[in-house]
Every structure is written in C-alpha cells, then in structure tokens.
Amino acid sequence: MRLLPPQARRPAVGLVVLSVVVVALGAALYHGERRAGRLDDAVDDWLFTIFGRDRAPLYQLLHVADLPVVIAVLAVVLVAALMRGRPDIAALAVIGPLAAIGLTEAVLKPLVQRRYNFFLSYPSGHTVGTLSECAVLGVILLGAAGLTLALRVAMGVLLLAVCGTVMLALIVDGFHYFTDTVAGAFLSVGVVALTALAVDAVTRRRVGAAAQG
C-alpha cells in the first residue's frame, strides 16, 4: 500500500518546490514588517467589504481551527490507521502536522518577525493547523479504495470549504494578513506532501528488503 498513487508523485514533488518558493518569497518580502503589504491591503479591504457584517459567525467558525480540535481529529485518524494496519497513514497523521506546526512556531515566526497587532503572524499558525489536518485527510482520500468519484469530489470540496472558511475568518476578524494565510496554506500542504513522499519511500525500501530476505 502507498499513500500517493504513482501518478500523484510528480505533482507532489512540484507542490513541495512551489511551497518552498512561496513561503521563502513571502518571508523575504515581509521580514520585520508591522503593517500590511499592497497585496494585503487590496485583498483584505475587499474581503472586509463583502464579509464584514459576518464577522461574528465567522469568529465562531474559527473554533474548528483550535489546536485541541486539530489534535482530536488527527488522533482519530491515528487510531483508525493503527487498527487497520496502516502504519504509513499513522506516520503521516503524526509527522506531517507536527512538522508543519513546529516549523511555523519554532522557526519561521521568530525568523521572519512579521507582526499583526504586536503578535508574530507569518505564517498563520491557525491556518497551518487546519490546512495540515485537511491535507492529511486529502492524502488519505486520494488513496482510499472503494470510493466513487462523486464521493471523492464531494469530500474534497468539503475539505476545501473548511480551509477557505478558516482563512477567511482569520482575515475578516483581524487576526492575520491575507499573505499570512497563503503562506500557512502552502507550508502545510508542502510539508504534508513531502512527508507522504518520504513515508512512501521508506515503505518501498522495507518492502524491497523483505522481498530480498
């Protein structure tokens, strides 16, 4: 069993490279900044105009991005994977999000030093938590057997809707700039994709070694 089907491996590599470029570019552009950039001003103002009246319900929806919620969902995935004899999925559910969150909070935020209302903001930690969780679920969905195309599409759209809502709420409720959330999204997906590629490589080596033995 593999996390990524063969046809998804090359796009996954491309996604990892793109993620590195986007996050690094943003880090260089907004290093030490305490105000919005031009792109942030344009997008944030547009979103405030459209969704400003919905700030209260959007704020309530942000609870899906709370760390305890993210941990609970991933714990369910971990237990289910172990019960089904899928250590690769278990490894993805633990390593991917943990690496993304750790890289955000321990490395990038202190390094970039971008601030929103006196708080370090680049990349968005709430975005990273939610997107890494959804990226893990997306990889599982990609390789799940027995699902119809319609069901895969519906579940994929649901995951995208959750991610988009969290990013929108973080901007409209005044927690992050637009580019903070974009960096968080790319970082999360890139780290989870890299983790999936690495786990698959380890699995292939173990299978090869077992076959030779």
Side-chain angles (χ1 to χ4, degrees):
M1 298 293 290
R2 299 288 187 272
L3 291 170
L4 296 172
Q7 64 270 23
R9 291 172 192 162
R10 186 170 294 179
V13 172
L15 187 56
V16 172
V17 173
L18 179 61
S19 298
V20 171
V21 172
V22 170
V23 174
L25 180 61
L29 288 174
Y30 302 116
H31 180 267
E33 290 291 334
R34 296 174 178 266
R35 52 188 169 81
R38 292 183 179 180
L39 179 59
D40 296 310
D41 278 334
V43 177
D44 292 0
D45 288 347
W46 177 65
L47 293 176
F48 283 136
T49 300
I50 298 174
F51 299 102
R53 296 179 180 178
D54 303 315
R55 293 182 67 180
L58 284 172
Y59 179 79
Q60 296 302 318
L61 290 173
L62 268 179
H63 289 304
V64 303
D66 289 344
L67 188 58
V69 176
V70 173
I71 292 174
V73 172
L74 293 173
V76 171
V77 174
L78 173 63
V79 172
L82 292 175
M83 291 179 65
R84 293 183 55 200
R86 291 295 304 268
D88 53 344
I89 293 179
L92 178 69
V94 173
I95 298 172
L98 186 61
I101 293 171
L103 184 59
T104 297
E105 301 297 335
V107 179
L108 287 173
K109 280 187 176 181
L111 181 65
V112 178
Q113 287 287 313
R114 190 189 199 190
R115 295 182 181 272
Y116 191 119
N117 294 335
F118 306 105
F119 294 101
L120 296 176
S121 66
Y122 186 96
S124 162
H126 276 79
T127 301
V128 169
T130 303
L131 267 289
S132 59
E133 168 197 342
C134 289
V136 168
L137 296 175
V139 171
I140 295 171
L141 181 63
L142 191 64
L147 296 181
T148 65
L149 177 60
L151 184 56
R152 290 176 192 270
V153 171
M155 295 176 69
V157 170
L158 178 60
L159 291 176
L160 290 174
V162 170
C163 296
T165 300
V166 167
M167 294 170 68
L168 174 63
L170 289 169
I171 296 167
V172 174
D173 282 300
F175 292 106
H176 281 285
Y177 303 114
F178 168 70
T179 47
D180 294 336
T181 65
V182 171
F186 273 96
L187 174 68
S188 305
V189 175
V191 169
V192 171
L194 180 60
T195 303
L197 289 165
V199 170
D200 276 350
V202 171
T203 301
R204 286 196 298 272
R205 290 179 182 177
R206 289 182 175 179
V207 171
Q212 291 178 0

